[in-house]
Amino acid sequence: MTILDKIIAHKRREVADRESLVPLKLLEQSLYMEAKPLSLRHYVLRDDLSGIIAEFKRKSPSKGIINAHAPVERTTLGYMQAGASALSVLTDTEFFGGRNEDLTTARRFNFCPILRKDFVVGEYQIIEAKSLGADAVLLIAAVLSGEEVLRLGRLARSLGMEVLLEIHNEQELTATLHPDAVSLVGVNNRNLHDFAVSLDVSGELARQIPDEYVKVTESGLNSAADIRALREVGYRGFLMGEAFMRHARPEQACAALVQQL
């Protein structure tokens, strides 16, 4: 099994367990179910912001512990004060050290779009994301069929949320891109099967993504030079986590990079 296979197998068991403990009727009682989500697309395109989707994550399968001690409140507030366009919060526990509570904490202290970053395998997680206060969800083409992306994306949109579709190659793009489901397309420069990273992936796929979708590049971004180069080929969103989280004060690392842009 690849790392991705292990993640998805565990995620299916985890979601089934969670659904038995916290049924949909309980999720639907959340105050956030009635709240109007903010538009990730709009904030990423704002000229007065950096386009950076600043991510909070504690660890990853490829790097292990990145930052076990950064507080969610201070870090996410600092990201936004630094000029980030939006937040991404990892909620996977087993492989990324995240918690659903990380997202609800970020929601309480920030008025900005928040992307729930997780491995979505079914409808329950879409409704759960809304109940946590998320404005957008990630759907990963490497683990979902085109029909699944369409179904889950339509559900997210019915709840007012936007969908960031994550792809790694042209085949995934062709198989899963649907205007009724997707608002933004994220190119993951990391191959989820072997975790190899190359920014060339974004460069190669930029022209394949139709212009009506906001283009986001993910993984492997480390500098203002990386952002400027990818802006030149059409990217407006830049999802960055590790580059910030490996510092003791991630929000300060974010501020320093934004100042260079």
Side-chain angles (χ1 to χ4, degrees), residues 43 121 143 152 244:
Y43 272 68
V121 294
V143 301
L152 295 171
F244 303 144

Side-chain angles (χ1 to χ4, degrees), residues 124-138:
Y124 181 85
Q125 290 162 285
I126 301 294
I127 298 170
E128 184 181 51
K130 173 71 170 175
S131 76
L132 296 172
D135 303 283
V137 292
L138 181 76

Side-chain angles (χ1 to χ4, degrees), residues 78-97:
Y79 279 160
M80 299 315 300
Q81 291 168 352
S85 295
L87 298 171
S88 170
V89 179
L90 256 299
T91 55
D92 175 81
T93 301
E94 181 71 15
F95 297 92
F96 290 87

Side-chain angles (χ1 to χ4, degrees), residues 60-243:
S60 76
S62 60
K63 298 295 176 66
I65 298 295
I66 300 170
N67 190 329
H69 304 294
V72 178
E73 176 186 347
R74 187 186 71 195
T75 303
T76 57
L77 270 171
Y79 279 160
M80 299 315 300
Q81 291 168 352
S85 295
L87 298 171
S88 170
V89 179
L90 256 299
T91 55
D92 175 81
T93 301
E94 181 71 15
F95 297 92
F96 290 87
R99 299 185 292 262
N100 285 346
E101 293 76 15
D102 293 339
L103 198 152
T104 54
T105 298
R107 176 77 290 155
R108 283 199 306 271
F109 291 100
N110 293 277
F111 185 81
C112 67
I114 301 179
L115 171 72
R116 188 204 188 175
K117 186 87 172 290
D118 210 321
F119 294 82
V120 173
V121 294
E123 287 86 349
Y124 181 85
Q125 290 162 285
I126 301 294
I127 298 170
E128 184 181 51
K130 173 71 170 175
S131 76
L132 296 172
D135 303 283
V137 292
L138 181 76
L139 297 182
I140 303 174
V143 301
L144 298 169
S145 68
E147 290 183 358
E148 288 171 323
V149 168
L150 180 58
R151 185 177 72 251
L152 295 171
R154 281 176 168 169
L155 174 59
R157 283 194 164 186
S158 75
L159 296 171
M161 295 186 292
E162 292 178 340
V163 169
L164 172 61
L165 174 68
E166 179 178 292
I167 63 165
H168 182 69
N169 54 52
E170 188 175 356
Q171 181 180 357
E172 291 177 355
L173 176 67
T174 302
T176 58
L177 187 60
H178 200 291
D180 286 348
V182 176
S183 297
L184 308 94
V185 177
V187 177
N188 194 346
N189 299 304
R190 176 176 286 111
N191 185 325
L192 291 178
H193 295 285
D194 61 14
F195 277 60
V197 178
S198 173
L199 295 185
D200 291 341
V201 176
S202 282
E204 293 165 0
L205 287 173
R207 287 174 292 180
Q208 308 301 322
I209 302 169
D211 289 339
E212 60 261 36
Y213 299 95
V214 174
K215 301 175 187 178
V216 178
T217 177
E218 313 170 23
S219 301
L221 302 167
N222 289 297
S223 67
D226 290 338
I227 291 175
R228 285 193 288 266
L230 289 166
R231 275 179 176 166
E232 288 295 319
V233 295
Y235 288 92
R236 298 294 300 274
F238 310 91
L239 199 154
M240 301 179 68
E242 185 183 325

